[in-house]
């Protein structure tokens, strides 16, 4: 089954109005192939600015996180309702930096998924093992456990795009080989078939993230269970346009 190719950018805590001008000029000049979806995860403070600069109808902005409550005494947090109010319809959740830098638990990430979906957002929940977990042969155990907490909180799989991002490949330049990535993507799809349904397994996009760039994207995109990417560093560079066109 072919699924629409999906390319997410994750700008992380990077950017300025000037750099967003440059990035969005490049995105606006990119001919996005028919059916390909593109979202760019901007810092909260720049979401409206980024939105205002994007004129390419195939490109949308995403938030990089949101909280599990709609409103209240949660200083510094961003509500899914705020994002909806701004017309931001995508949010990345459970990124490995939220997990391993800011200590977000599987339970909290599940609750965030639930709240974001209830609010009408589309979500990009992230999973992925750490190097020592892979070296200990625990990759499947780790990612299936992370998926369990996501699955328990998903009310509508049509609004979910999963991102598998091996932590050891994020920001390291050590990209997973296409075979390594395809292996886990295939096992995740099998897991979805068993734990959810054949229909969901067939339709949910599973993105690969971790040192994707303009050079390695085509071979990765050629794998049957890799439906796109969640790109960090390279999403800030002109080569992001090459990644958007990786399936061409
Ligand atoms: O964190 C990542 C990947 O980052 P890099 O592409 O810089 O490895 N995506 O969310």
């Amino acid at each position: 089954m072919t699924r629409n190719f999906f390319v997410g950018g994750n700008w992380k805590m990077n950017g300025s109005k000037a750099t967003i001008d440059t990035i969005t000029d490049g995105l606006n000049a990119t001919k996005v192939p028919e059916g390909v979806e593109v979202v760019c995860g901007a810092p909260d403070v720049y979401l409206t600015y980024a939105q205002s600069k994007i004129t390419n109808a195939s490109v949308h902005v995403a938030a990089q996180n949101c909280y599990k409550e709609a409103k209240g005494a949660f200083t510094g947090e961003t509500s899914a309702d705020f994002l909806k109010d701004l017309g931001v319809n995508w949010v990345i959740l459970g990124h490995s930096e939220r997990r391993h830098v800011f200590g977000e638990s599987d339970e909290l990430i599940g609750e965030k998924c639930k709240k974001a979906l209830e609010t009408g957002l589309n979500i990009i929940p992230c999973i992925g093992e750490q190097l020592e977990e892979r070296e200990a042969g625990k990759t499947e155990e780790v990612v299936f456990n992370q998926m369990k907490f996501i699955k328990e909180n998903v009310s509508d799989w049509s609004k979910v795009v999963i991102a598998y991002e091996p932590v050891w490949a994020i920001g390291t330049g050590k990209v997973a080989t296409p075979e390594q990535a395809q292996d886990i993507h295939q096992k995740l799809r099998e897991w979805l078939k068993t734990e959810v349904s054949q229909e969901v397994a067939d339709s949910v996009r599973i993105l690969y993230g971790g040192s994707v760039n303009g050079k390695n994207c085509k071979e990765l995109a050629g794998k049957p269970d890799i439906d796109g990417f969640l790109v960090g560093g390279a999403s800030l560079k002109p080569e992001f346009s090459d990644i958007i066109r990786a399936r061409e």
Side-chain angles (χ1 to χ4, degrees):
M1 169 167 191
T2 54
R3 291 164 289 269
N4 280 351
F5 199 57
F6 188 103
V7 178
N10 178 4
W11 299 349
K12 305 189 181 185
M13 192 175 79
N14 295 299
S16 64
K17 287 169 71 175
T19 61
I20 291 172
D21 288 350
T22 304
I23 292 168
T24 51
D25 284 349
L27 289 168
N28 293 335
T30 300
K31 176 134 184 35
V32 177
E34 185 70 30
V36 175
E37 290 182 74
V38 181
V39 300
C40 290
D44 286 352
V45 293
Y46 287 123
L47 281 168
T48 303
Y49 185 76
Q51 264 179 327
S52 74
K53 306 300 283 185
I54 293 171
T55 57
N56 190 327
S58 301
V59 180
H60 303 281
V61 295
Q64 297 175 17
N65 185 29
C66 69
Y67 195 45
K68 68 182 177 75
E69 301 292 344
K71 60 182 176 183
F74 305 105
T75 302
E77 288 296 328
T78 293
S79 157
D81 286 295
F82 298 168
L83 302 175
K84 195 74 186 160
D85 194 27
L86 290 178
V88 175
N89 294 312
W90 287 92
V91 61
I92 299 166
L93 292 171
H95 188 276
S96 68
E97 286 136 22
R98 300 304 312 173
R99 294 172 185 268
H100 304 301
V101 176
F102 300 100
E104 291 193 4
S105 65
D106 287 325
E107 293 83 358
L108 174 59
I109 292 160
E111 290 169 323
K112 289 184 170 193
C113 290
K114 184 171 190 289
K115 176 53 74 179
L117 289 169
E118 282 172 354
T119 310
L121 300 183
N122 299 284
I123 64 172
I124 307 173
C126 301
I127 58 174
E129 80 286 1
Q130 301 186 82
L131 184 59
E132 56 274 21
E133 292 165 333
R134 173 168 280 267
E135 288 172 344
K138 293 185 175 176
T139 297
E140 289 167 53
E141 177 189 330
V142 169
V143 299
F144 291 165
N145 185 61
Q146 290 170 331
M147 281 301 300
K148 183 170 73 74
F149 287 90
I150 293 165
K151 172 209 160 195
E152 286 166 0
N153 290 281
V154 169
S155 47
D156 181 354
W157 282 95
S158 71
K159 299 178 81 69
V160 178
V161 175
I162 296 164
Y164 165 62
E165 299 197 304
V167 181
W168 47 271
I170 295 175
T172 61
K174 264 181 65 183
V175 62
T177 66
E179 292 69 30
Q180 282 176 320
Q182 167 58 25
D183 174 51
I184 300 302
H185 280 232
Q186 186 174 24
K187 286 170 177 163
L188 284 166
R189 210 172 294 284
E190 276 303 311
W191 185 92
L192 285 167
K193 178 181 165 190
T194 307
E195 299 297 326
V196 186
S197 72
Q198 180 72 58
E199 184 199 0
V200 166
D202 289 343
S203 58
V204 164
R205 269 81 59 88
I206 306 175
L207 313 180
Y208 168 76
S211 295
V212 173
N213 60 39
K215 290 190 178 63
N216 59 36
C217 62
K218 278 194 176 302
E219 195 179 353
L220 284 159
K223 292 297 181 186
D225 289 298
I226 297 177
D227 305 312
F229 302 114
L230 188 54
V231 183
S235 69
L236 300 165
K237 300 173 187 169
E239 70 187 288
F240 190 55
S241 296
D242 300 328
I243 297 169
I244 288 169
R245 303 167 70 90
R247 273 248 174 103
E248 276 201 323

